[in-house]
Amino acid sequence: MASVFTEIRLDSWLTVLLVVAAGLYLYGVHRLRVRGDRWPVSRTVFFLVPGLGGIASVTVSGLHAYDTTLLSVHMVQHMVLSMVAPIFLALGAPMTLALRTLRGAPRRRLLAVVHSRVATVLTFPLVAFGLFVATPFALYFTSLYEQTLRHEWLHELTHAHFIAVGCLFFWPLLGLDPLPGRWPYPARALLMLLSVPFHTVLGLTIMQSKTLLGGTWYPGLHLDWSNPFDDQKVAGGILWAGGEFVSVTMIAVLVVQWIRASEREARRIDRELDRQEARERAQDQNDATVRSAARD
């Protein structure tokens, strides 16, 4: 297990992407501060630490040394890449930061991408929900998972797919960025509730399966310190318990956002009523002045 600490990988394409993403985000925050604009520190922390940092912790850290050796380690990766990191990336609002930083043609191109037909379809909650639910079943209960263990490029592609699907699912539900066709909070809460049983079913199915995921891969490693069937039960438990915890957490985040949005809407309505009352008072005063002038 010393490999967890000694085999940190800094030469992968994902490492480069993480460094570039962090650099661009920090540059955008710097640009805003130079202009005198404010950017919440919490968004920066969310995006960099549990967001990009969460991805790094399970892919470029030494943990990757065991991601094709133990199914339980792979399942931790699965949870972080598809559920934990995307939530915090969405809460970091990188699209909003880019729109506030960019000017001219780059900003117009970004807006065109955000409002394109492809983005509208992919970020439609039911489409993203379908991908989010179908992906693990298509991966683990077909021969595809064994192929990802035998081919490094397909294994890396699976990681990228987990991140992409997680972002597509959570961004329209919890994200702060402007997206086309965003659902109201009650509909978002309902969709999140529908996603909760999915992890329970998937985790229990894996735990109770008499067939090893990955085919002959894990027995073929001949590990004298790990039993593939026992490890598969642990992996299913991680998916079950982890999915429940993350689902409850994201519902709590959505409820907090819902309350804050309701408070902002209430303040907006109060301000509008105040302005309307002020206009009516001014109109009454004008009418009184006109009547007084007419009597004189």
Side-chain angles (χ1 to χ4, degrees), residues 107-131:
R107 188 175 190 275
R108 290 193 295 271
R109 284 195 290 268
L110 180 58
L111 282 172
V113 171
V114 172
H115 295 284
S116 66
R117 180 171 298 179
V118 173
T120 301
V121 172
L122 289 178
T123 58
F124 184 66
L126 289 180
V127 173
F129 177 77
L131 291 172

Side-chain angles (χ1 to χ4, degrees), residues 270-291:
D270 288 341
R271 288 194 298 269
E272 179 60 30
L273 291 175
D274 291 341
R275 286 193 294 267
Q276 183 177 348
E277 185 178 351
R279 288 194 297 268
E280 291 174 352
R281 284 199 302 267
Q283 184 63 42
D284 291 341
Q285 291 176 356
N286 290 335
D287 292 344
T289 302
V290 169
R291 289 194 297 270

Side-chain angles (χ1 to χ4, degrees), residues 16-27:
V16 175
L17 288 180
L18 291 174
V19 172
V20 170
L24 290 175
Y25 192 94
L26 290 174
Y27 177 70

Side-chain angles (χ1 to χ4, degrees), residues 82-99:
S82 66
M83 295 192 70
V84 179
I87 291 175
F88 291 101
L89 293 177
L91 294 176
M95 195 71 65
T96 301
L97 178 62
L99 290 173

Side-chain angles (χ1 to χ4, degrees), residues 133-212:
V133 170
T135 290
F137 286 96
L139 174 65
Y140 296 126
F141 299 114
T142 66
S143 61
L144 178 59
Y145 181 61
E146 183 177 2
Q147 295 305 310
T148 66
L149 296 172
R150 298 185 182 279
H151 303 282
E152 179 66 19
W153 67 270
L154 188 57
H155 190 69
E156 296 291 335
L157 185 62
T158 302
H159 289 167
H161 180 77
F162 280 151
I163 298 170
V165 170
C167 287
L168 286 175
F169 179 65
F170 289 109
W171 227 288
L173 301 181
L174 297 174
L176 306 176
D177 289 322
L179 293 174
R182 174 161 281 168
W183 283 9
Y185 281 101
R188 292 191 230 173
L190 177 60
L191 193 61
M192 282 193 177
L193 288 173
L194 291 176
S195 71
V196 173
F198 145 71
H199 296 98
T200 302
V201 172
L202 182 60
L204 288 175
T205 302
I206 291 176
M207 292 177 68
Q208 297 172 359
S209 176
K210 302 301 182 181
T211 302
L212 281 176

